[in-house]
Amino acid sequence: MKIMLATQTYAPIIGGEERHVQNLAGQLASRGHDVHVATQALDGRASADLDDRGVHIHRLASASARMPVLHTDSGRPHALPIPDPILTRELSKLTCRIEPDVVHAHNWIVNSLLPQQHRTRRPLVMSLHDYAHRCVTTRYLYEGSICKGPGAYKCLRCSKLTYGVAKGTTMLAATWLAKPWRDGVIDRFLPVSAAVASNTGIAARGLPYEVVPNFIPDDLAAVGSAATRRPAELPSDDYIVFVGDLVPDKGVLTLLAAYERVPFPKPVLLLIGGGRVEMPTQLPRGVLLGTKWPHELVTAAFANSIAAVLPSEWADPCPTTVLEAMALGAPLITTPVGGISDMVDDASAMFVPPGDATSLAEAIIRVITDEDLRRRLAQAARARVGQFTAGTVVPRIERIYEQALSEPRRVWRLGT
């Protein structure tokens, strides 16, 4: 099967979405498919390469990449919530040249595929890695709490606060205008969790979808089971670890407050940040900070820790860090929010209420002082994480492609 994966950004930029697409491309290629990745050329220079896994990488010109003022993170420019005229043209030329059997889009780049999709009716599936299909800020938060649903005033206010008045109003209008088109054309939505299916509205509207979570490599669990070398960058003593953006909605401020309530002697708290940073410059005693570590060092940090603490406070769609902690044997403390509720249960992790520093401190104390509890959590997590490995998830994606090819194309109707 010839498959085109369309993603707004790709390696060497690495976030959760980029890592997922990169892993999916490699897995599909290893299973004998002809895989092409279409993405934006961030430096403006279009190129085509073949990577060492046999995946064709096409970096295409776009209007979005040429206008850094549009993006809150200029190093990771998102695609536009409407068809990008330059990217639409380049995607059309690419699909005509390679003639994929199936196109699999990831988030907003799908908007630049819509004009040609309406003409060619090539099978199109779309992964929803966050809430961008319905929420212009993509995070489904309102005034610091999980949003209860869209509304004209709420969404406009939130968009303005995030992007500014002019840009926010334009982004919101574009998102709302393109949504009915996406709803009517896409053959199958693939939300990464039940929370994404619910909060984007696709479940309530009866649109065709199947929850397909993020996945980890099959051999990652073996890394945790084997004796893992302890890199010099890691603390020499016992430590607990947090991995993620160092921002309030990931629970990092609550974690710092909880850690201060844990009495000495206590393990080091290692914070590993991969992106945004919004936290105090003065850290409590016992806290170490690592930023932009390579992935091999992150996995080693999980494997050598006595516990992983990932206390998200937003509806985190499907954080791969949770899966990695489970596979690598790190006893897990987390919150039952968003897609995390799909990933773990109360046998494979300790749940604490989001934003509750007292409960989080009590959970940390219990885990670090109870070796038997740590062993039980790690064993249950390793047993459960098997349903989130490549060997389980990728065949499901292949079946979805095959179904999309065999089923009649959807006829576009406004408000379908």
Side-chain angles (χ1 to χ4, degrees), residues 10 72 110 156 164 187 189 229 273 295 313 369 385 403:
Y10 194 68
T72 53
V110 74
L156 182 59
D187 293 286
F189 288 95
R229 182 181 65 84
H295 191 246
E313 297 177 17
T369 57
V385 81
Q403 291 167 0

Side-chain angles (χ1 to χ4, degrees), residues 21-237:
V21 178
Q22 186 179 35
N23 289 340
L24 177 58
Q27 288 290 329
L28 291 170
S30 72
R31 296 169 71 89
H33 300 288
D34 183 4
V35 182
H36 296 253
V37 173
T39 189
Q40 296 182 100
L42 302 185
D43 60 2
R45 294 193 294 269
S47 64
D49 302 292
L50 183 68
D51 72 13
D52 57 7
R53 302 164 306 161
V55 176
H56 300 269
I57 314 298
H58 306 271
R59 302 185 189 276
L60 308 176
S62 69
S64 176
R66 298 179 184 181
M67 295 183 285
V69 70
L70 292 175
H71 314 296
T72 53
D73 182 354
S74 59
R76 193 181 181 191
H78 54 70
L80 298 177
I82 56 173
D84 177 315
I86 298 174
L87 186 56
T88 293
R89 180 194 67 205
E90 296 305 309
L91 283 168
S92 180
K93 289 162 60 177
L94 177 63
T95 52
C96 287
R97 185 167 73 251
I98 67 175
E99 296 186 335
D101 298 308
V102 176
V103 177
H104 184 173
H106 297 264
N107 280 349
W108 272 355
I109 197 170
V110 74
N111 298 302
S112 295
L113 288 162
L114 294 179
Q116 63 168 312
Q117 177 65 14
H118 187 56
R119 295 192 305 271
T120 66
R121 306 306 302 132
R122 179 177 286 106
L124 173 63
V125 301
M126 177 184 178
S127 282
L128 300 176
H129 294 274
D130 54 32
Y131 305 100
H133 184 61
R134 193 182 198 183
C135 173
V136 70
T137 69
T138 77
R139 303 186 70 76
Y140 211 66
L141 287 172
Y142 182 67
E143 296 184 340
S145 300
I146 295 174
C147 187
K148 302 299 183 183
Y153 171 77
K154 287 171 58 180
C155 293
L156 182 59
R157 183 172 184 272
C158 203
S159 185
K160 287 178 178 178
L161 287 173
T162 303
Y163 301 111
V165 175
K167 178 181 167 186
T169 304
T170 303
M171 293 277 282
L172 179 62
T175 300
W176 282 13
L177 287 170
K179 184 177 179 297
W181 197 357
R182 293 193 298 266
D183 285 351
V185 169
I186 292 167
D187 293 286
R188 189 75 58 87
F189 288 95
L190 308 183
V192 294
S193 63
V196 172
S198 174
N199 293 338
T200 55
I202 62 171
R205 287 171 54 77
L207 295 170
Y209 81 92
E210 182 174 339
V211 174
V212 179
N214 293 332
F215 61 86
I216 55 175
D218 293 325
D219 61 357
L220 187 61
V223 173
S225 300
T228 305
R229 182 181 65 84
R230 193 179 184 112
E233 292 88 346
L234 299 180
S236 57
D237 297 322

Side-chain angles (χ1 to χ4, degrees), residues 16 139 141 242-256 271-276 278 309-322 333-335 337 340 354-355 360:
R139 303 186 70 76
L141 287 172
F242 166 93
V243 178
D245 287 348
L246 300 171
V247 294
D249 54 25
K250 283 288 190 179
V252 70
L253 298 184
T254 302
L255 174 55
L256 290 174
L271 303 177
I272 303 176
R276 297 175 298 143
E278 298 173 23
V309 188
L310 305 173
S312 281
E313 297 177 17
W314 72 299
D316 218 333
C318 187
T320 307
T321 50
V322 168
I333 302 171
T334 189
T335 48
V337 294
I340 299 175
L360 183 54

